[in-house]
Amino acid sequence: MKQAPLSGFSSVCVHAGHEQDPLYAHLTPIYASSTFVYDSAEQGMRRFSGQEEGYIYTRWDSPNFREAEEKIAALEGFGLTDESGRPLALKAILHASGMGALTTLFLAHLKSGDKVISHYSLYGGSEELFTKILPPLGIEAVIVDMQNIDQTAAAIKADPSIKMMYLETPANPTLKCVDLEALIALARQHNLVTAVDNTFATPYLQQPFAYGADYVFHSTTKFLNGHGTAIGGVLVGKNLEMMKGQVDKVHRLLGNNSNPFDAFLLTQGIKTLEVRMERHCHNAMEVAGFLDGHPAVARVNYLGLADHPDFSIASRQMKHPGAMLSFELKDGMKAGMRFIDRLQMCLRAVSLGTCDTLICHPASMTHYSIPKEVREKYEITDGLIRVSVGIESVTDILNDLEQALQ
Ligand SMILES: *Cc1c(COP(=O)(O)O)cnc(C)c1O
């Protein structure tokens, strides 16, 4: 069957990466098989030497991984071209989790003595990689305020062992943003490899490759899967030689692979990415507007509100302000726990990006073990509530918040 040209984002979500099944199943079946067979020794030789396309072993590759990978690569590169005006070619490698994909990224690029420059307010797991796992390997993170471009430039100039710039925007859980265009341009002047955690935005809202990023990383557990059915991660790169070489080597040898069932679920989830994100963002704007005027609420952090300090960066580099928001209750810890306990439809859970609205109270949950003075430096105050706004009918979300706030 001839693959029709796909002009719209949702058509790419639905069709990219799909290959006709030899038995004419509509969806690619789940290849629950650890290994693949050969017709002859000759064929085995051709497969191993790369002369013949074909699957060998599921730690390396599987038809289910490939479908999800090609979809994600097509979406991150949607509408983008390379220096010579051709469609931007990208390769994605699926991983067991977001953390697995990050491990591959860092270990494929950094060696003892190298440093990575990054900013405050990163996903907790990424920060722990920087503080607990990489330093004993001789790899250090230099953390600066990357909203200050001059300070970032000075830090890079002062330390030639900085080899990579790692960005997360919007960041978890404060929704702070950094300027992709300015920072990636700066990194390129100094020949740093650049990588962006695009988990909160998804390729529908933001495309870091448009600014020249080398890598985009996702926890596919969140909006890409969209239904909370599987843990996963993906690393997308534009240096194809590196992706097929060192990056794939590290991914295979660390056993960072996904599995066919989770990859199947991810593929189905991505098909509705655009419709879900439109609804997520619409609902989030309504929720932010409602909370903004509520007497029990001291402050609302949503990138769609003009008083958010990063409103202008977000409106420049994101299509919509996203589905994540946080707000601060006037009465601190007690009010936070009481609010969480009173919820009736919205769910009390960490994680994000599912069809269901998920609400958490960082001070009593994710950040409970972190001393108050420390977490307050990261703006995690006692009354802070984080919301991943779902795709339910928005009236029901507003009604639940209203009764829980009373
Ligand atoms: C969840 C998350 C990760 C880690 O991904 P896992 O799939 O949980 O391993 C990294 N970055 C961000 C922004 C996340 O939300």
Side-chain angles (χ1 to χ4, degrees), residues 214-230:
D214 295 305
Y215 291 98
V216 166
F217 153 81
H218 282 272
S219 165
T220 62
T221 313
K222 318 292 167 54
F223 293 101
L224 290 183
N225 172 297
H227 299 71
T229 52

Side-chain angles (χ1 to χ4, degrees), residues 97-99 123 168 172 197 199-200 217 219 221-222 231-232 352:
S97 66
M99 294 315 296
Y123 174 72
E168 179 181 327
N172 185 14
D197 183 339
T199 301
F200 271 34
F217 153 81
S219 165
T221 313
K222 318 292 167 54
I231 299 286
L352 55 110

Side-chain angles (χ1 to χ4, degrees), residues 49-274:
S49 66
Q51 286 168 287
E52 179 182 302
E53 267 280 307
Y55 297 95
I56 295 174
Y57 187 50
T58 296
R59 175 154 53 75
W60 295 9
D61 203 358
S62 127
N64 298 109
F65 302 171
R66 202 170 288 185
E67 183 167 11
E69 289 168 346
E70 289 187 3
K71 241 186 225 315
I72 295 168
L75 293 172
E76 283 296 345
F78 181 73
L80 304 181
T81 50
D82 63 16
E83 277 99 9
S84 44
R86 280 186 292 266
L88 183 65
L90 298 171
K91 180 172 167 60
I93 301 180
L94 206 58
H95 284 70
S97 66
M99 294 315 296
L102 267 188
T103 309
T104 296
L105 169 71
F106 294 133
L107 295 188
H109 271 282
L110 302 172
K111 58 182 189 317
S112 179
D114 288 346
K115 292 184 185 162
V116 48
I117 189 163
S118 193
H119 50 84
Y120 297 103
S121 182
L122 291 173
Y123 174 72
S126 316
E127 186 177 330
E128 283 195 275
L129 266 190
F130 285 156
T131 53
K132 300 188 173 142
I133 305 294
L134 296 180
L137 302 176
I139 301 164
E140 253 181 69
V142 177
I143 304 294
V144 298
D145 174 8
M146 286 196 162
Q147 289 190 326
N148 184 332
I149 307 288
D150 293 339
Q151 195 185 322
T152 309
I156 294 172
K157 279 186 199 129
D159 195 341
S161 48
I162 296 175
K163 296 290 157 61
M164 181 187 282
M165 178 184 280
Y166 180 75
L167 309 174
E168 179 181 327
T169 183
N172 185 14
T174 55
L175 303 173
K176 281 216 158 69
C177 293
V178 291
D179 186 332
L180 289 174
E181 188 170 19
L183 288 168
I184 293 171
L186 173 68
R188 283 162 68 111
Q189 278 168 25
H190 295 272
N191 293 318
L192 306 188
V193 170
T194 50
V196 181
D197 183 339
N198 205 27
T199 301
F200 271 34
T202 81
Y204 182 57
L205 303 183
Q206 172 175 283
Q207 287 175 290
F209 288 113
Y211 309 101
D214 295 305
Y215 291 98
V216 166
F217 153 81
H218 282 272
S219 165
T220 62
T221 313
K222 318 292 167 54
F223 293 101
L224 290 183
N225 172 297
H227 299 71
T229 52
I231 299 286
V234 72
L235 189 58
V236 192
K238 70 176 178 193
N239 180 339
L240 301 183
E241 204 179 311
M242 194 64 193
M243 286 303 290
K244 290 176 187 157
Q246 180 69 359
V247 173
D248 197 36
K249 194 96 204 149
V250 172
H251 151 260
R252 289 179 182 190
L253 292 177
L254 292 181
N256 269 339
N257 56 284
S258 178
N259 66 81
F261 183 47
D262 286 354
F264 171 87
L265 293 170
L266 174 59
T267 293
Q268 309 321 318
I270 295 171
K271 292 182 183 177
T272 54
L273 181 65
E274 177 175 344

